Amino acid sequence: MGLLTAACAAYASLAAWLWLTFAQGMFWRTDVRLPPRTAPTHWPSVAIVVPARDEAEVLPRSLPSLLAQDYPGEAEVILVDDGSTDGTGALALRLAAAQPGLPLAVSSPGDPAPGWTGKLWALRHGILLARTAHATEPDFLLLTDADIAHEPDSLRELVAAATSADLDLVSQMARLRVAGLWERLVVPAFVYFFAQLYPFRRINRPSARTAAAAGGCVLLRTEAAVRAGVPDSIRQAVIDDVSLARAVHRSGGRIWLGLAERVDSVRPYRELADLWRMVSRSAYAQLRHQPLLLAGTVAGLVLVYLVPPAALLTGLAAGQPATAWAGGLAWLLMAGTYLPMLRYYGQPAALAPLLPFTALLYLLMTVDSAVQHYRGRGASWKGRTYARPSDA
């Protein structure tokens, strides 16, 4: 880049990082955990709804944790087998038979109706079953993915948080698996970027103007779900968790979102290709399939994450100390705000300066998501491809 251009880009990037660090809801802090809570005098009833499609690999590490919930009130687990071809439903029944615990029901909704994503169609079926299977509806619904394992007190703590703070939706961002090289590089950054877009502290304010949730673990009041018309009102959503939270928020519900302490994803992402699919399948949907938003996102990622190291190196090589200082300070703020997330995931601080490389990967994943969309492959997951909402 030209020296003048490099200097301007470095100053702009530094300004962006100063704003992100001090004015974006302290997104980088990782101490947003379940709010203060006390046990209710009467424990409400809960139906745990688990949509599952071809989850035989992870189910033995997740479903037993739900069946083993130490919950003082009435609770049951409903696993919705969404057209699995690997014996997911039969495996679930075998796991339940081998382990005493909460009662389990396994049901299948059939193929999604036109205009529905598979997961939301499965959730609709499970919620309907939960509301009609007994004489009274459950007070709460725990919507959790088939790859999420819960500690025995997870449900109890979620319900206590919801009842103590009079919340309609309590969601925890499950701690994702971090084992291999690519998981170490990509997974903490995934949560960091999510928090940057949806700062937890800002989301949790009663006066918040926006809303978000993490789909792996969502405790939802049944009456709030009915009031918001979910999942029917968001049936086309590919980013279903954020859409769910927004629907509840629009209907007057109070929501809370934070990081989990005892809720973990057991899904492995052994190769970069696995992580690539996880991100690219929905990245362009997050941008509402708008080319201008894609262009703005790419430009933003370049300015915020790629300019700082480039400006530092350019400034040093060209003898431009102001450019080097601006780029170096922006990179330092970037790495510094990333450190808490690395600590949360138990990763070394040495990974923090590598965030520009990870951001480049996310930029390429986002562009690939758009390319796949225009090739007609759209948001694809486990053999299904979804049209954008206007085409559904």
Side-chain angles (χ1 to χ4, degrees), residues 22 92 142 237 293 331 338:
F22 300 108
L142 175 59
L293 286 178
W331 197 358
Y338 191 37

Side-chain angles (χ1 to χ4, degrees), residues 17-360:
W17 273 109
L18 288 169
W19 181 83
L20 286 169
T21 303
F22 300 108
Q24 183 60 356
M26 297 295 175
F27 76 93
W28 42 269
R29 293 183 59 172
T30 56
D31 56 350
V32 183
R33 311 297 169 88
L34 283 176
R37 54 207 178 274
T38 57
T41 55
H42 171 73
W43 287 93
S45 56
V46 183
I48 303 172
V49 181
V50 186
R53 179 174 171 83
D54 291 337
E55 299 287 11
E57 179 186 6
V58 298
L59 212 59
R61 287 171 285 164
S62 59
L63 184 60
S65 74
L66 291 173
L67 300 174
Q69 285 301 296
D70 178 18
Y71 185 67
E74 294 182 9
E76 65 176 338
V77 181
I78 300 172
L79 185 136
V80 185
D81 185 1
D82 181 21
S84 299
T85 58
D86 65 351
T88 289
L91 174 59
L93 291 172
R94 291 197 300 271
L95 291 170
Q99 174 182 322
L102 298 183
L104 171 72
V106 176
S107 186
S108 178
D111 292 333
W116 283 82
T117 64
K119 179 181 177 180
L120 288 173
W121 181 249
L123 283 177
R124 177 183 184 274
H125 181 79
I127 292 172
L128 181 62
L129 185 60
R131 295 180 60 199
T132 59
H134 306 289
T136 58
E137 294 184 345
D139 299 303
F140 283 91
L141 303 161
L142 175 59
L143 313 179
T144 185
D145 289 346
D147 63 342
I148 302 298
H150 294 251
E151 293 295 328
D153 62 350
S154 173
L155 179 59
R156 187 171 68 242
E157 295 299 316
L158 285 165
V159 171
T163 56
S164 297
D166 194 25
L167 297 166
D168 293 292
L169 184 154
V170 178
S171 179
Q172 290 184 295
M173 173 71 75
R175 198 188 303 258
L176 304 177
R177 179 182 182 270
V178 175
L181 170 63
W182 290 112
E183 289 173 332
R184 295 174 190 274
L185 282 172
V186 174
V187 167
F190 176 83
V191 183
Y192 174 87
F193 294 146
F194 182 89
Q196 194 175 80
L197 286 173
Y198 305 106
F200 297 160
R201 278 178 171 73
R202 189 171 292 172
I203 293 292
N204 296 340
R205 295 174 185 167
S207 59
R209 296 183 180 181
T210 187
C217 178
V218 176
L219 182 74
L220 176 65
R221 286 186 191 270
T222 304
E223 63 180 4
V226 173
R227 187 171 62 243
V230 295
D232 296 62
S233 62
I234 59 169
R235 61 186 178 275
Q236 298 179 357
V238 176
I239 316 294
D240 53 83
D241 44 11
V242 174
S243 299
L244 170 64
R246 287 174 175 169
V248 172
H249 184 262
R250 283 195 302 268
S251 66
R254 290 192 59 200
I255 68 173
W256 183 93
L257 169 65
L259 292 172
E261 294 176 318
R262 299 166 70 76
V263 179
D264 300 280
S265 173
V266 297
R267 186 181 303 283
Y269 293 98
R270 300 182 180 91
E271 306 292 338
L272 177 59
D274 300 323
L275 291 158
W276 195 287
R277 282 190 294 270
M278 178 190 76
V279 175
S280 67
R281 71 184 178 94
S282 59
Y284 199 40
Q286 180 74 45
L287 301 175
R288 302 196 296 274
H289 304 100
Q290 297 294 325
L292 286 178
L293 286 178
L294 174 65
T297 298
V298 170
L301 285 170
V302 170
L303 176 67
V304 173
Y305 290 101
L306 303 187
V307 163
L312 174 61
L313 296 176
T314 299
L316 291 175
Q320 297 288 329
T323 300
W325 272 105
L329 183 55
W331 197 358
L332 183 63
L333 287 171
M334 182 197 314
T337 57
Y338 191 37
L339 279 173
M341 190 62 69
L342 289 173
R343 285 197 295 266
Y344 172 74
Y345 273 98
Q347 299 305 304
L351 290 177
L354 300 182
L355 189 56
F357 172 73
T358 303
L360 175 61

